Amino acid sequence: EIVMTQSPATLSVSPGERATLSCRASQSVSSNLAWYQQKPGQAPRLLIYGASTRATGIPARFSGSGSGTEFTLTISSLQSEDFAVYYCQQYNNWPALTFGGGTKVEIK
Amino acid sequence: QVQLVQSGAEVKKPGASVKVSCKASGYTFTGYYMHWVRQAPGQGLEWMGWINPNSGGTNYAQKFQGRVTMTRDTSISTAYMELSRLRSDDTAVYYCARGYYDILTGYYGNYFDYWGQGTLVTVSS
């Protein structure tokens, strides 16, 4: 099983600032990585797939990068609605899909 | 618009089984894989498996093999996930999630573009 490790566990950011979230895979997942946003009491929402392609309707302030074992989700200018938990998910090692433990983005 | 509507919360005793439903609308039910993902209280996401609603074929995460059964009823566009021999650590919110499919290219991606609202299953004696 591929283990996905996200860092930091919690990120404190002021509105308008840039947030950078990391996701590391225990072995290469090529570009087969997705990012999700989850707000309290809600289901996750797909943000990014293929490591860098934004899903339908996702604002341009969200961007993804990386390949192999190191990935980054960047939120260029945090809006109030962006404070949430973010998860990465690899889908290279089929059928054993795995998620990272999440990064909580909180208001500083 | 695409919607996945799940059945309501359940309370079960250890050793019992639970069956959660997920009714799809707004798209061709048989054209997209349906996955199940769970989330224990305050914890992360855990993939359980998928069902191909067209063929009924399934693939389960190794952890759940022997305890989980995924089925579907195409006449009512509904997928089901049944988990047996419940334990207290099965207490979680269970989500159905549609697997991505690109109609133009025929590509199936094992990530999830639409999710149900979640069903809380509580296992307690």
Side-chain angles (χ1 to χ4, degrees), chain B residues 68-100:
Chain B
V68 70
T69 304
M70 295 178 189
T71 57
R72 92 291 190 216
D73 184 338
T74 57
S75 68
I76 55 172
S77 300
T78 299
Y80 303 91
M81 186 284 300
E82 184 170 22
L83 189 63
S84 63
R85 301 194 302 278
L86 289 168
R87 308 183 293 254
S88 58
D89 61 358
D90 290 318
T91 294
V93 175
Y94 289 77
Y95 293 101
C96 59
R98 192 183 79 164
Y100 178 84

Side-chain angles (χ1 to χ4, degrees), chain A residues 32 34 36 38 41-46 48-50 87 89-91 94-101, chain B residues 33 35 37 39 43-47 50 59-61 95 100 107 109-113 115-118:
Chain A
N32 295 314
Y36 301 86
Q38 187 179 33
Q42 296 185 17
R45 177 174 72 143
L46 178 66
I48 300 282
Y49 61 90
Y87 293 95
Q89 177 230 331
Q90 68 80 21
Y91 52 95
W94 174 249
L97 308 179
T98 49
F99 291 88
Chain B
Y33 285 40
H35 297 250
V37 176
Q39 186 171 37
Q43 303 301 308
L45 301 166
E46 182 174 35
W47 177 75
W50 58 248
N59 198 308
Y60 305 139
Y95 293 101
Y100 178 84
Y107 169 73
N110 294 308
Y111 44 92
F112 319 118
D113 57 0
W115 295 65
Q117 82 277 17

Side-chain angles (χ1 to χ4, degrees), chain B residues 16-56:
Chain B
S17 297
V18 68
K19 190 171 186 177
V20 179
S21 67
C22 171
K23 183 170 178 58
S25 61
Y27 72 99
T28 302
F29 177 65
T30 52
Y32 296 76
Y33 285 40
M34 190 69 79
H35 297 250
W36 291 86
V37 176
R38 77 176 187 180
Q39 186 171 37
Q43 303 301 308
L45 301 166
E46 182 174 35
W47 177 75
M48 300 179 69
W50 58 248
I51 182 167
N52 177 343
N54 187 42
S55 67

